[in-house]
Amino acid sequence: MERPRPVRLMGHAARAAAAAFAAVAALYLVLLAKLVLTSGPGRMCGIDSCPRGTTALALLAPLCAAAAWLLWRMPRRRGHGRAPVRVRVIAACAATAALVPGWLGFEQIRGPQLDLSGWQAPVHPAAAPVGVWAPAPGMLVRARTDGLVAYDGEGRKGWRLPAPERTPLCALSRTSPSGTGLLAYGESVGACGSQVVAVDLAEGRVRWTRDTGRALVAAAGTSAVVADRDTVTGLDLRGGQELWRVPVPADCTVKAVDGSERHALYVEECGDSARITAVDARTGTRAWQTALPTSSRLREVRVLSAVPPVLRVTETAERGTDAVLLFDAGGRARGSVPASGPAGDLLSEPPPVLTGDTLVTAVKQGERTGVSAYSLTDGRRLWHAGAGDEEVRGLAPTGRGEVGVVTSGPWWTYLTHRGLADGARRARPTVLRDLPLGERFAFYPGPPGSYAFVNLDRKGLLPPVFDIDPVFGW
């Protein structure tokens, strides 16, 4: 006896749904095998090392298979015979269509991932890295002791500027305003600054050269600041003509220089005391001078920012100043962040990020590292984000009001975006797949969702520059 039409339609629908669930189960089994056998560390994975999404797939694949079996058995229990051809065609179409939401579900389970899209072969012979400039969006200039190499937005080599023979490149200006960078060559690695050179970073052309003694260099607006043993000199950034000269007292030594659009900054050590001075970048007229809270020789001093002025200062005395010092536009001290304390120890690597009125830095609390943000107006800690068992490897501004944090664990490396205001995660951490990262590196945002990494390792065995893009596919 022929079954009622609604019953027959339900049976046909059950067969189509069974085919859809079976297709998704097969897809998830294939993806599960791929994650376990090919994506895991060492091409295998354990409880703690399996790729993200493995557990969810291991649960969903048998559930989908069970649903397919139950739906397939339903019409057979009700006495339905062999399905008509049109029903089998509909079931095949349903199985094919189900692969789309199945795949989208897998991508949601797996989360965002980035993988290599292009890279440069290691440069031989190896030479020690000095630093990197990012003078324009999509352009990087990597400096080694043997010279400069420019890379375009797709990681291809552009111009190259070799260092003079037997004269290594030893220092770069922190900034490169108007596309002009300052670098210093030295007779030896330990005696930096026997020659200062201004380079047009768009073309790799030398604008001017100046012979000096031991010199520190910085860019300040349209001026180049060169500090040697006796003077701090301001030169025209494009032409090299001398604009002003400030003498350095005989008992003082300039330990650091930097500059903003308006002022040139330099730190002098005079016996057991030290001070920071700001002069007009165009005329050399002193704007202000402030004594640093030190009473012994300086072990380290670095200018982290020129606007506002921020210094990292470490004394040689055992209980001397070891902190990040903050100043206002007039040179008045307005706060400090101690390098060590109950809230954790500030780490010098990776280099901190200063954006707006916020300092973001890696910190160590016991055996674990994390990321903390401090106010540049008064030194208060704004927020802290722990990294668990992972190590903080890199920091960089990655968008409006956010900072990117690269962390590495025993098996995986992640890029996490955190809000500058509260440290909250903006999205799920992005997995960085098998990237050839050195001990030290810098990274910069490129086209939406993409990044360029610059290795600063000393062995020279890794790609100097590589690009990563979102993963499409498995």
Side-chain angles (χ1 to χ4, degrees):
M1 186 175 72
E2 187 176 358
R3 297 274 176 178
R5 182 179 178 84
V7 174
R8 285 187 288 113
L9 290 178
M10 287 183 60
H12 298 336
R15 283 193 170 99
F21 275 103
V24 174
L27 173 65
Y28 284 176
L29 285 173
V30 171
L31 293 173
L32 178 63
K34 189 266 179 185
L35 288 183
V36 173
L37 300 178
T38 66
S39 296
R43 303 311 175 200
M44 289 293 289
C45 74
I47 295 176
D48 297 327
S49 62
C50 281
R52 187 170 60 189
T54 302
T55 302
L57 287 182
L59 293 174
L60 287 174
L63 285 177
C64 289
W69 184 79
L70 291 174
L71 288 167
W72 183 258
R73 293 288 299 171
M74 185 184 300
R76 300 176 69 88
R77 288 200 195 113
R78 295 181 177 181
H80 288 281
R82 185 179 179 86
V85 173
R86 66 177 182 277
V87 175
R88 281 181 275 172
V89 171
I90 293 172
C93 292
T96 303
L99 294 177
V100 175
W103 177 264
L104 295 177
F106 164 69
E107 287 191 333
Q108 185 64 30
I109 292 168
R110 179 187 64 182
Q113 303 200 5
L114 292 166
D115 202 356
L116 281 173
S117 61
W119 62 93
Q120 282 288 332
V123 180
H124 295 290
V130 177
V132 59
W133 280 311
M139 182 182 182
L140 298 170
V141 179
R142 186 174 185 264
R144 307 196 315 174
T145 54
D146 60 352
L148 302 175
V149 178
Y151 299 89
D152 67 10
E154 297 182 356
R156 294 187 294 260
K157 282 185 181 179
W159 54 262
R160 184 173 184 271
L161 182 65
E165 191 172 351
R166 299 184 182 179
T167 307
L169 191 160
C170 55
L172 302 177
S173 58
R174 186 177 62 86
T175 59
S176 54
S178 304
T180 300
L182 295 173
L183 56 87
Y185 295 118
E187 293 298 333
S188 66
V189 176
C192 184
S194 62
Q195 187 180 77
V196 175
V197 177
V199 181
D200 179 350
L201 299 182
E203 302 176 1
R205 176 174 53 86
V206 173
R207 291 190 183 277
W208 50 264
T209 300
R210 183 183 179 93
D211 293 329
T212 66
R214 174 189 175 275
L216 303 174
V217 296
T222 58
S223 299
V225 184
V226 179
D228 57 23
R229 292 182 179 88
D230 304 318
T231 60
V232 178
T233 306
L235 309 173
D236 181 71
L237 189 60
R238 297 182 67 87
Q241 300 87 357
E242 185 171 316
L243 302 177
W244 48 265
R245 181 183 290 257
V246 177
V248 176
D251 61 338
C252 297
T253 303
V254 177
K255 306 294 288 186
V257 296
D258 211 301
S260 64
E261 187 66 28
R262 293 181 54 200
H263 293 135
L265 304 176
Y266 58 95
V267 178
E268 296 171 290
E269 182 180 59
C270 306
D272 289 338
S273 63
R275 62 196 182 195
I276 178 173
T277 303
V279 299
D280 187 281
R282 293 168 295 179
T283 65
T285 303
R286 181 187 295 178
W288 50 263
Q289 187 175 78
T290 303
L292 301 182
T294 60
S295 57
S296 65
R297 292 282 182 174
L298 299 177
R299 176 179 294 122
E300 177 191 24
V301 57
R302 285 184 292 152
V303 181
L304 302 182
S305 167
V307 182
V310 179
L311 304 180
R312 172 68 189 264
V313 175
T314 305
E315 284 188 75
T316 54
E318 184 176 349
R319 296 185 61 81
T321 298
D322 186 7
V324 176
L325 306 180
L326 318 173
F327 303 88
D328 64 14
R332 292 176 292 272
R334 61 177 181 178
S336 65
V337 180
S340 60
D345 301 334
L346 306 188
L347 299 177
S348 56
E349 291 291 340
V353 168
L354 288 87
T355 176
D357 284 335
T358 305
L359 165 72
V360 182
T361 182
V363 298
K364 187 173 184 179
Q365 293 181 315
E367 296 299 319
R368 296 191 171 187
T369 61
V371 179
S372 292
Y374 296 87
S375 168
L376 292 179
T377 59
D378 54 20
R380 290 181 302 108
R381 187 164 85 162
L382 303 176
W383 51 264
H384 174 77
D389 294 330
E390 299 169 9
E391 176 188 1
V392 179
R393 301 281 310 281
L395 298 168
T398 52
R400 186 177 181 86
E402 71 174 30
V403 62
V405 183
V406 175
T407 58
S408 291
W411 309 108
W412 306 104
T413 299
Y414 298 95
L415 171 61
T416 304
H417 300 276
R418 295 193 176 275
L420 283 174
D422 55 7
R425 282 196 329 209
R426 291 288 181 89
R428 294 179 70 186
T430 301
V431 176
L432 305 183
R433 289 186 174 185
D434 301 325
L435 300 189
L437 286 176
E439 290 297 319
R440 294 179 61 244
F441 60 86
F443 68 101
Y444 303 87
S450 303
Y451 299 88
F453 280 72
V454 182
N455 271 321
L456 299 173
D457 65 298
R458 292 185 171 274
K459 297 180 181 179
L461 302 177
L462 298 172
V465 174
F466 60 87
D467 299 298
I468 58 175
D469 288 329
V471 172
F472 298 102
W474 69 3

